[in-house]
Amino acid sequence: MVPNAAASGQLLSLDVIDGSDSIPAAKKLLKSRTGQTGISNWDASSIFFEMHGLDVDERPSPRTLVFLYAADMSFRLRWEIMPALQEGKCVVAVPYIETGFALGAIAGLPRKWLSEVFRFAPKAQETYRVNGPPSARIASPTTGFIEFCSSVMGQDLRPKFASYFDDLERRGRCRSL
């Protein structure tokens, strides 16, 4: 799916609880970088935008949502992230694969299965998270991936995602921004 060509740029991962924080947080992260930079945001392929508002009786399962997220990530890598990295740019992927792992963990999907689904994605050189206090209500389901999943699954998943990212930070696998 993703070319294995060596990239001279830098890939930064940024996972956020509230989607409205994603672009401001990515810009904040990029302020400390020199050279050309870029941001790759979720739903670049419009998979989730197209799904929003479908009038169907059956909701997609967490496994289906993980597959769709992986498909969107593959699109972002192919058309946004890898070309920018090959040009030597610093790119913030917001969110990146850890958000997919978080959804899978919340839904009880096997870690090995999730690793196989996301094996195509290169490891980020640095991983960050933004975990501000969630607003009282969920913004539009298309604001962010977590809002979309919360809407589709009929519950506010932000506290569960926050706990997942808290655990990652405790284990030294990401840093707060």
Side-chain angles (χ1 to χ4, degrees), residues 1-156:
M1 281 192 232
V2 176
N4 286 333
S8 60
Q10 187 176 27
L11 175 59
L12 308 177
S13 166
L14 178 62
D15 295 288
V16 298
I17 299 302
D18 284 303
S20 60
D21 294 337
S22 63
I23 299 302
K27 287 179 179 179
K28 178 182 176 183
L29 182 58
L30 288 175
K31 260 188 174 177
S32 65
R33 308 296 165 157
T34 59
Q36 292 187 321
T37 60
I39 298 170
S40 174
N41 203 2
W42 86 289
D43 203 21
S45 66
S46 295
I47 289 172
F48 297 100
F49 176 79
E50 297 296 332
M51 285 182 63
H52 179 65
L54 286 178
D55 189 21
V56 293
D57 293 334
E58 193 173 313
R59 297 175 187 254
S61 70
R63 192 176 294 262
T64 299
L65 291 172
V66 168
F67 275 134
L68 292 172
Y69 186 79
D72 183 67
M73 179 57 58
S74 178
F75 179 93
R76 291 169 56 200
L77 282 162
R78 170 66 178 93
W79 297 105
E80 296 178 352
I81 297 170
M82 293 307 292
L85 293 176
Q86 290 167 350
E87 292 174 11
K89 294 179 182 178
C90 176
V91 179
V92 176
V94 54
Y96 198 52
I97 60 173
E98 210 54 65
T99 293
F101 276 97
L103 174 61
I106 289 166
L109 298 174
R111 178 84 181 175
K112 183 178 180 181
W113 181 83
L114 292 164
S115 295
E116 282 297 310
V117 169
F118 290 107
R119 76 177 183 266
F120 65 89
K123 184 173 174 27
Q125 282 91 353
E126 297 175 28
T127 301
Y128 298 89
R129 54 73 83 88
V130 175
N131 208 23
S135 59
R137 67 175 191 75
I138 295 178
S140 164
T142 56
T143 302
F145 180 70
I146 295 172
E147 288 89 345
F148 184 86
C149 291
S150 293
S151 175
V152 166
M153 296 174 80
Q155 62 177 304
D156 186 357

